[in-house]
Amino acid sequence: MNRTNHPHNTEINVAGNLVGGKKIAVMAGPCSVESREQILSIAKDVKKSGATFLRGGAFKPRTSPYSFQGLKEEGLELLKLAKKETGLPLVTEITSMEYLDEYIENVDIIQVGARNMQNYELLKQLGKTRKPILLKRGFSSTIEELLMSAEYIMVEGNENIILCERGIRTFENFTRNTLDLSAIPAIKKLSHLPVVVDPSHGTGIWWMVEPMALAAVAAGADGLLIEVHNDPENALCDGIQSIKTDKFASLMQKLKLIVESLGREI
Amino acid sequence: MNRTNHPHNTEINVAGNLVGGKKIAVMAGPCSVESREQILSIAKDVKKSGATFLRGGAFKPRTSPYSFQGLKEEGLELLKLAKKETGLPLVTEITSMEYLDEYIENVDIIQVGARNMQNYELLKQLGKTRKPILLKRGFSSTIEELLMSAEYIMVEGNENIILCERGIRTFENFTRNTLDLSAIPAIKKLSHLPVVVDPSHGTGIWWMVEPMALAAVAAGADGLLIEVHNDPENALCDGIQSIKTDKFASLMQKLKLIVESLGREI
Amino acid sequence: MNRTNHPHNTEINVAGNLVGGKKIAVMAGPCSVESREQILSIAKDVKKSGATFLRGGAFKPRTSPYSFQGLKEEGLELLKLAKKETGLPLVTEITSMEYLDEYIENVDIIQVGARNMQNYELLKQLGKTRKPILLKRGFSSTIEELLMSAEYIMVEGNENIILCERGIRTFENFTRNTLDLSAIPAIKKLSHLPVVVDPSHGTGIWWMVEPMALAAVAAGADGLLIEVHNDPENALCDGIQSIKTDKFASLMQKLKLIVESLGREI
Amino acid sequence: MNRTNHPHNTEINVAGNLVGGKKIAVMAGPCSVESREQILSIAKDVKKSGATFLRGGAFKPRTSPYSFQGLKEEGLELLKLAKKETGLPLVTEITSMEYLDEYIENVDIIQVGARNMQNYELLKQLGKTRKPILLKRGFSSTIEELLMSAEYIMVEGNENIILCERGIRTFENFTRNTLDLSAIPAIKKLSHLPVVVDPSHGTGIWWMVEPMALAAVAAGADGLLIEVHNDPENALCDGIQSIKTDKFASLMQKLKLIVESLGREI
């Protein structure tokens, strides 16, 4: 992933959408798929507002074994349905090799979550595929370690990697994590891979998502991962950091102005 | 400083320049004043590029007693001269009450550095003046603690306070500090005081200053504190995080485009 | 793992050795198995000095894919040989389910490394066995999260869990990690599970291993995990934090005195 | 303070008590002086249990200007009275030069609190005296920076410095701070100055004070700073981290056994 051996930015083709080029990728959707109605309604709304990918969790790694773990296979089926209805490519997290074939066949970008950033067995398996991988920075991993984990995927032959900054652990507890936007210029300097930012997990507070999303793009991010929900108060996970669909629409308006002032597109 | 008791943003009038309003304040200059030639040449260059304040250190608190401690009184004289020649208001750090009268008479914004954010005796003395105070967040202080320190100044009667995010200490050591841009929306939510950002100390790396300056403004900052030097390689302090005067000029061009896309001025 | 539902300390029987009782468990050995001569010589030396378990890595998860990854199956064979020759029960890390049966048959305590503390798929599989598990705290996981990960193992039915403090990530970089000894009383208060401490990874500096090992036991630890090497200068991994066999012998002498002053045994 | 220029440990003579030698110094008392009855009763109790110094705050730097700031001059008078009645030398914090003469005349060890560790003006003034100084590590300062701050005092000629580890800021919030006991061997390696540990502020939890005090001594600390109160529930500050006088008595019993097992005295 070293920039010196590979001076030009890598542009990854995901079902016809280039990630890492002039166009900003916007991956929006709920923390987890909860029902047919929920995912279809959110998918249609974010598509209407200009999202280019649908994000949503089917298999959810949670700190406590007693928390909602996702709808699993059923969630994956509902995501496929939402893709069919909206045409939005899917981004969803993988937590076990058990479902790899399922993911290869139906998912457009396979996400490796923060907790699995150093699960090298998983990374090596994904390296043997040619699927685009969204590799999230561990909440306490250095930028160097994130790039080393990407290397675990690349040495196996898969160069379709999108890196994601999603906040790191610090002493500050006003926010859930501290979103480290300096990771964007750092990664751009060291590597040729695209970088996206997740302001939802990065702050853990819905009213911070808009300002941090605008800041991420101003700092050079190639895309955003945003949690959007139609009913945050009753979301089964991360409601407090999800924005409503109308808030997402207005965010996209402001984003458009900044993106254009930077000479990029959305 | 509580937003609930005071819903409107506070705009601070510094020698005719409002900080905290529609206009972005740009405070630029060297880490420390080194010579007559140096400060005059930098002051003229940043003025030409659009800076609205001249920053520069005369008294430098340094981690080691053996590091350059600043030109002290002589540095202050040189700053006054640069102000006379360019008309730029001065922002410079105070480290001891000993020179308070000097500062009140000649300095436009008195800076309290990160190391003194919880030096309550100093804060109380500054609270007794009516000078604008630039209060920097301690590199390991929470947003809550920064606001509490501002309160130490306000209870004495001085409400002319500008808060400054300048990076916090984290495990990540690629950067000198981790610039916490989420502090901007957080402070805006909790308080009515203006917020400026120092991307130079916040990252410690000159090539990160531009992207992080753009990001800070996109996140809602009211101003920037930027280290500019005419000869960073030979700077007596912080050369590695200072940008050259021509780089500052191009930063101002890009900044202008983003600021306008946000409906603000510069 | 909650203390309130289970007031007494859990004592785990590992091949006849109780962990979590009056006796302090000392798990010593090299970071990784390098050769027949190396592992046999170290095993005999630590046994002679009073170690009660042999630790050593066969499968090594490393930050970089280009670092030594361990002797793998061959390493496991050499560990079995060392166990046969010394009678010391084995503690070694598992990184993939692929070798689970091998581990169940030959390893006495299966270690889950810091990087896999939140690899829930792995934890659930280990929960289905009845093997003693040594669960290391992630280098950036809270005490709460460590206990939650233990819960992932317990809900599947395996209650033979030993928790391990091995240092957390902080801004301090004099040490590799900051060994959080307050985790010992914290875990003892919240849970009934045994706690061991790894001062080798916890500090990353060989000359800190002795004082921190003594401190850990004074704070109430039930055991220690110590990296010992016969030739640290040429170790294939972690040489700088490994102590020589003679240093380990003198550490055991000092440890004996403190352990007795606490009314415990070694 | 460099060990290489000064191989032997510095022993500081405080009113006849050597700090930094074979004997462990125990500095005990309330967070702040609250009343004649309170300070006299606590002073007598800790003296009876074996404390060798009386600690107590008269001037309290607090995060909020609205919190109790100490009894100030009156508190100092009450400390002098307690010293007269018990013969215990005094350790108390200075926050302003205004009272320096008062402190020089009546206080035996002048404490510089964590918030003022980099208040260089204060350090330089204290360097001009010959009083023993207890320099606390800033809650986010590196070991290196603590030693550099000690250097600010020494360059002015005062070598009577006792360094104090009192916990650092980390992501872990089960404890108020993370007590970094590895700072003890680190400081002992780099410097010849005595090191004491404050487990009360270091953990912020009264039931952790005993295990961490024992651990600190096992790791090589030359002394302890312990908050003791006769009525923690109603203490005006830090009640939650203060131990009762009877708990302090039993702590001293256990401490004695460990100290002797280490070949030291108390």
Side-chain angles (χ1 to χ4, degrees):
Chain A
M1 51 73 215
N2 196 318
R3 168 75 73 180
T4 53
N5 318 336
H6 188 319
H8 305 302
N9 287 337
T10 288
E11 294 188 28
I12 296 170
N13 188 325
V14 184
N17 304 266
L18 287 182
V19 178
K22 198 178 180 192
K23 196 159 185 296
I24 302 298
V26 180
M27 307 169 182
C31 168
S32 51
V33 181
E34 298 170 17
S35 71
R36 187 176 192 292
E37 296 55 39
Q38 176 239 26
I39 193 64
L40 289 182
S41 123
I42 296 174
K44 286 169 186 165
D45 285 342
V46 298
K47 163 88 180 245
K48 183 150 17 81
S49 304
T52 43
F53 294 84
L54 176 64
R55 61 144 290 156
F59 296 87
K60 303 296 304 175
R62 305 296 299 276
T63 301
S64 163
Y66 309 119
S67 307
F68 174 60
Q69 308 276 317
L71 293 183
K72 307 207 167 69
E73 295 85 340
E74 184 194 345
L76 218 44
E77 288 310 312
L78 293 175
L79 283 170
K80 285 156 63 175
L81 181 63
K83 175 182 177 177
K84 194 147 144 295
E85 300 240 341
T86 60
L88 290 175
L90 299 177
V91 185
T92 192
E93 178 169 3
I94 194 164
T95 60
S96 148
M97 299 322 301
E98 190 181 345
Y99 298 95
L100 186 55
D101 296 340
E102 253 295 305
Y103 274 69
I104 291 176
E105 193 178 328
N106 303 300
V107 174
D108 300 283
I109 298 179
I110 300 178
Q111 177 180 321
V112 175
R115 292 179 177 77
N116 283 311
M117 190 199 90
Q118 293 190 316
N119 178 347
Y120 302 129
E121 300 307 317
L122 181 60
L123 299 180
K124 285 185 230 163
Q125 291 302 318
L126 294 171
K128 297 192 172 70
T129 75
R130 290 301 172 264
K131 280 303 246 193
I133 308 298
L134 180 81
L135 180 62
K136 283 193 147 190
R137 178 183 184 179
F139 53 66
S140 213
S141 300
T142 62
I143 292 162
E144 197 88 33
E145 291 167 335
L146 171 60
L147 295 176
M148 276 298 146
S149 286
E151 205 68 17
Y152 266 95
I153 299 173
M154 293 183 110
V155 287
E156 303 293 333
N158 185 358
E159 306 215 330
N160 300 313
I161 304 170
I162 300 164
L163 300 173
C164 179
E165 160 62 27
R166 45 79 70 215
I168 58 173
R169 269 206 177 158
T170 70
F171 65 84
E172 176 59 78
N173 45 33
F174 184 85
T175 42
R176 179 178 177 183
N177 294 288
T178 296
L179 190 61
D180 178 14
L181 293 183
S182 63
I184 302 166
I187 291 170
K188 289 286 177 187
K189 187 82 159 190
L190 300 169
S191 146
H192 52 81
L193 298 172
V195 186
V196 300
V197 170
D198 178 346
S200 307
H201 283 87
T203 63
I205 303 174
W206 71 268
W207 51 264
M208 280 194 180
V209 171
E210 180 175 292
M212 299 314 278
L214 300 181
V217 168
D222 297 304
L224 297 164
L225 206 58
I226 296 177
E227 287 191 349
V228 179
H229 201 284
N230 52 353
D231 181 14
E233 293 68 19
N234 301 306
L236 293 182
C237 87
D238 290 349
I240 193 167
Q241 71 191 37
S242 301
I243 56 175
K244 292 196 173 133
T245 49
D246 58 340
K247 190 94 187 62
F248 176 70
S250 66
L251 182 160
M252 290 298 285
Q253 293 309 315
K254 296 191 181 134
L255 197 58
K256 193 169 183 306
L257 297 173
I258 280 208
V259 165
E260 285 164 354
S261 78
L262 294 161
R264 295 184 78 169
E265 294 163 3
I266 191 158
Chain B
M1 49 72 214
N2 197 318
R3 169 73 72 179
T4 55
N5 317 335
H6 188 318
H8 305 302
N9 287 339
T10 289
E11 295 189 26
I12 296 170
N13 188 324
V14 185
N17 304 267
L18 288 183
V19 178
K22 198 177 179 193
K23 196 160 185 295
I24 302 297
V26 181
M27 308 170 182
C31 168
S32 52
V33 181
E34 298 171 16
S35 71
R36 188 177 192 291
E37 296 56 39
Q38 177 239 24
I39 192 66
L40 288 182
S41 124
I42 296 173
K44 286 169 187 166
D45 285 341
V46 298
K47 164 88 181 244
K48 188 158 2 87
S49 304
T52 42
F53 294 84
L54 175 64
R55 61 143 292 156
F59 296 86
K60 304 294 305 174
R62 306 296 298 278
T63 301
S64 163
Y66 308 119
S67 307
F68 173 60
Q69 308 276 316
L71 293 183
K72 308 204 167 70
E73 295 85 339
E74 185 193 345
L76 219 44
E77 288 311 312
L78 294 174
L79 283 171
K80 285 156 62 174
L81 181 63
K83 174 182 178 177
K84 194 149 144 294
E85 300 238 343
T86 60
L88 290 175
L90 299 177
V91 185
T92 191
E93 178 169 3
I94 194 163
T95 59
S96 148
M97 298 323 300
E98 190 181 345
Y99 298 94
L100 185 55
D101 297 340
E102 254 293 31
Y103 273 69
I104 291 176
E105 193 178 329
N106 303 300
V107 174
D108 300 284
I109 298 179
I110 300 178
Q111 176 180 322
V112 175
R115 292 180 177 76
N116 283 311
M117 190 201 89
Q118 292 189 315
N119 178 348
Y120 302 128
E121 299 307 317
L122 181 61
L123 299 180
K124 285 185 230 165
Q125 291 302 317
L126 295 171
K128 296 193 171 70
T129 75
R130 290 302 171 266
K131 280 302 234 190
I133 308 297
L134 180 81
L135 180 63
K136 284 193 146 191
R137 178 183 185 180
F139 53 67
S140 215
S141 300
T142 63
I143 291 161
E144 197 88 32
E145 291 167 335
L146 171 61
L147 296 175
M148 277 297 147
S149 285
E151 204 67 17
Y152 265 96
I153 299 172
M154 293 184 110
V155 287
E156 303 293 333
N158 186 358
E159 307 214 329
N160 300 313
I161 304 170
I162 300 164
L163 301 172
C164 179
E165 160 63 27
R166 45 79 70 213
I168 57 173
R169 270 206 178 158
T170 70
F171 66 83
E172 175 59 79
N173 46 33
F174 184 85
T175 44
R176 179 178 177 182
N177 294 289
T178 296
L179 190 61
D180 178 14
L181 294 182
S182 62
I184 301 166
I187 292 171
K188 289 285 176 189
K189 187 83 160 187
L190 300 169
S191 147
H192 53 80
L193 298 172
V195 185
V196 300
V197 170
D198 177 346
S200 307
H201 283 88
T203 64
I205 302 173
W206 71 267
W207 52 263
M208 281 194 180
V209 171
E210 181 175 290
M212 298 314 280
L214 300 181
V217 167
D222 298 304
L224 296 165
L225 206 58
I226 297 178
E227 287 192 349
V228 179
H229 201 284
N230 51 353
D231 182 13
E233 292 69 19
N234 303 305
L236 294 181
C237 88
D238 291 350
I240 193 170
Q241 71 192 38
S242 301
I243 55 175
K244 292 198 173 132
T245 49
D246 58 341
K247 190 93 189 60
F248 176 70
S250 66
L251 182 161
M252 289 300 285
Q253 294 309 315
K254 294 187 182 140
L255 197 58
K256 194 169 183 308
L257 296 173
I258 280 208
V259 165
E260 286 164 354
S261 78
L262 295 161
R264 295 185 77 170
E265 295 164 5
I266 190 156
Chain C
M1 48 74 214
N2 197 319
R3 169 74 72 181
T4 54
N5 317 336
H6 188 318
H8 305 302
N9 287 339
T10 290
E11 294 188 29
I12 296 170
N13 188 323
V14 185
N17 305 265
L18 288 183
V19 178
K22 199 177 179 193
K23 196 159 185 296
I24 301 298
V26 181
M27 309 170 181
C31 169
S32 52
V33 181
E34 298 171 17
S35 71
R36 188 177 192 292
E37 295 57 39
Q38 177 239 26
I39 192 65
L40 288 182
S41 124
I42 296 174
K44 286 170 186 164
D45 285 342
V46 297
K47 163 90 180 240
K48 186 157 4 87
S49 304
T52 42
F53 294 84
L54 176 63
R55 62 142 291 155
F59 296 86
K60 304 296 304 174
R62 305 299 298 279
T63 301
S64 163
Y66 309 119
S67 307
F68 173 60
Q69 309 276 317
L71 292 183
K72 307 204 168 69
E73 295 86 339
E74 184 194 344
L76 218 45
E77 288 311 312
L78 293 174
L79 283 171
K80 285 157 62 175
L81 181 63
K83 174 182 178 178
K84 192 148 145 296
E85 299 238 343
T86 60
L88 290 174
L90 299 178
V91 185
T92 191
E93 178 169 3
I94 194 164
T95 59
S96 150
M97 299 322 301
E98 190 181 344
Y99 297 96
L100 185 55
D101 297 340
E102 253 294 305
Y103 274 68
I104 290 176
E105 192 178 329
N106 303 299
V107 174
D108 300 283
I109 299 178
I110 301 179
Q111 177 180 322
V112 174
R115 292 180 177 76
N116 283 311
M117 190 200 90
Q118 293 190 315
N119 178 345
Y120 302 128
E121 299 308 317
L122 180 61
L123 299 180
K124 285 184 229 163
Q125 291 302 318
L126 295 171
K128 296 194 171 71
T129 75
R130 290 300 172 265
K131 281 302 245 193
I133 308 298
L134 180 81
L135 180 62
K136 285 194 144 191
R137 178 183 185 180
F139 53 68
S140 214
S141 300
T142 63
I143 292 161
E144 199 87 33
E145 291 167 334
L146 171 61
L147 296 175
M148 277 298 146
S149 286
E151 205 67 17
Y152 265 95
I153 299 171
M154 293 184 109
V155 288
E156 302 292 335
N158 186 358
E159 305 214 333
N160 301 313
I161 304 169
I162 300 165
L163 301 173
C164 179
E165 160 62 27
R166 46 78 71 213
I168 57 173
R169 263 196 186 168
T170 71
F171 65 83
E172 175 61 77
N173 45 33
F174 184 86
T175 43
R176 179 177 175 183
N177 294 289
T178 295
L179 190 61
D180 178 14
L181 294 182
S182 63
I184 302 166
I187 291 170
K188 289 285 177 190
K189 187 84 162 187
L190 300 169
S191 146
H192 52 80
L193 298 172
V195 185
V196 300
V197 170
D198 177 346
S200 307
H201 284 88
T203 63
I205 302 174
W206 71 268
W207 52 263
M208 281 194 181
V209 172
E210 181 176 290
M212 298 314 280
L214 300 180
V217 168
D222 298 304
L224 296 164
L225 206 58
I226 297 177
E227 287 192 349
V228 179
H229 202 283
N230 52 354
D231 182 13
E233 292 70 17
N234 302 306
L236 293 181
C237 87
D238 290 350
I240 192 168
Q241 71 192 36
S242 301
I243 56 175
K244 293 202 172 123
T245 50
D246 58 341
K247 190 92 189 60
F248 176 69
S250 65
L251 182 160
M252 289 299 285
Q253 294 307 315
K254 296 190 180 134
L255 197 59
K256 196 170 180 307
L257 297 173
I258 280 207
V259 166
E260 286 164 354
S261 78
L262 294 161
R264 294 184 79 169
E265 295 163 4
I266 190 158
Chain D
M1 50 73 215
N2 196 317
R3 169 74 74 179
T4 55
N5 318 334
H6 188 318
H8 305 303
N9 287 339
T10 289
E11 294 188 28
I12 296 171
N13 188 323
V14 185
N17 305 267
L18 288 183
V19 178
K22 199 178 179 193
K23 197 161 185 296
I24 301 298
V26 180
M27 307 169 182
C31 168
S32 52
V33 181
E34 297 171 16
S35 72
R36 189 178 191 290
E37 296 56 38
Q38 176 238 26
I39 192 65
L40 288 182
S41 124
I42 296 173
K44 286 169 186 165
D45 286 341
V46 297
K47 164 86 180 250
K48 183 151 17 79
S49 305
T52 42
F53 295 83
L54 176 64
R55 61 143 291 155
F59 296 86
K60 304 295 306 174
R62 305 296 299 278
T63 302
S64 163
Y66 308 119
S67 307
F68 174 61
Q69 309 277 315
L71 292 183
K72 309 208 167 71
E73 295 86 340
E74 184 193 344
L76 218 46
E77 289 311 311
L78 293 174
L79 283 170
K80 284 157 63 174
L81 181 63
K83 174 182 179 178
K84 194 149 143 297
E85 299 238 341
T86 61
L88 290 175
L90 299 178
V91 185
T92 192
E93 178 170 3
I94 194 165
T95 59
S96 148
M97 299 322 301
E98 189 181 347
Y99 297 96
L100 185 55
D101 296 342
E102 252 295 311
Y103 273 69
I104 290 176
E105 194 178 328
N106 303 299
V107 174
D108 300 284
I109 298 178
I110 301 178
Q111 176 180 322
V112 175
R115 291 180 178 77
N116 283 311
M117 191 200 89
Q118 293 189 316
N119 178 347
Y120 303 128
E121 299 306 316
L122 181 62
L123 299 180
K124 285 185 230 163
Q125 291 301 318
L126 295 171
K128 296 194 171 70
T129 75
R130 290 302 171 264
K131 281 303 242 193
I133 308 298
L134 180 81
L135 180 63
K136 284 194 145 190
R137 178 182 184 181
F139 54 66
S140 214
S141 300
T142 63
I143 292 162
E144 197 88 32
E145 291 167 335
L146 171 61
L147 296 175
M148 276 299 146
S149 285
E151 205 67 18
Y152 265 96
I153 299 172
M154 293 184 111
V155 288
E156 302 293 333
N158 186 359
E159 305 214 331
N160 301 312
I161 304 170
I162 300 164
L163 300 172
C164 179
E165 161 61 28
R166 45 80 69 214
I168 57 173
R169 265 199 183 164
T170 70
F171 65 83
E172 175 60 78
N173 46 33
F174 184 86
T175 43
R176 179 178 177 182
N177 294 289
T178 296
L179 190 61
D180 178 13
L181 294 182
S182 63
I184 302 166
I187 292 170
K188 289 284 176 189
K189 187 83 159 188
L190 300 169
S191 146
H192 53 80
L193 298 172
V195 185
V196 300
V197 170
D198 177 346
S200 308
H201 283 87
T203 63
I205 302 173
W206 71 268
W207 52 264
M208 281 194 180
V209 172
E210 181 175 290
M212 298 314 278
L214 301 180
V217 168
D222 298 304
L224 297 165
L225 206 59
I226 296 177
E227 288 192 347
V228 179
H229 202 285
N230 52 354
D231 182 13
E233 292 70 18
N234 302 305
L236 294 181
C237 87
D238 290 350
I240 193 170
Q241 71 192 38
S242 301
I243 56 175
K244 292 200 174 130
T245 50
D246 58 342
K247 191 93 188 61
F248 177 69
S250 66
L251 182 161
M252 289 298 286
Q253 294 307 316
K254 294 187 182 143
L255 197 58
K256 194 169 181 308
L257 297 173
I258 280 208
V259 166
E260 286 164 353
S261 78
L262 294 161
R264 295 184 78 170
E265 294 163 5
I266 191 159

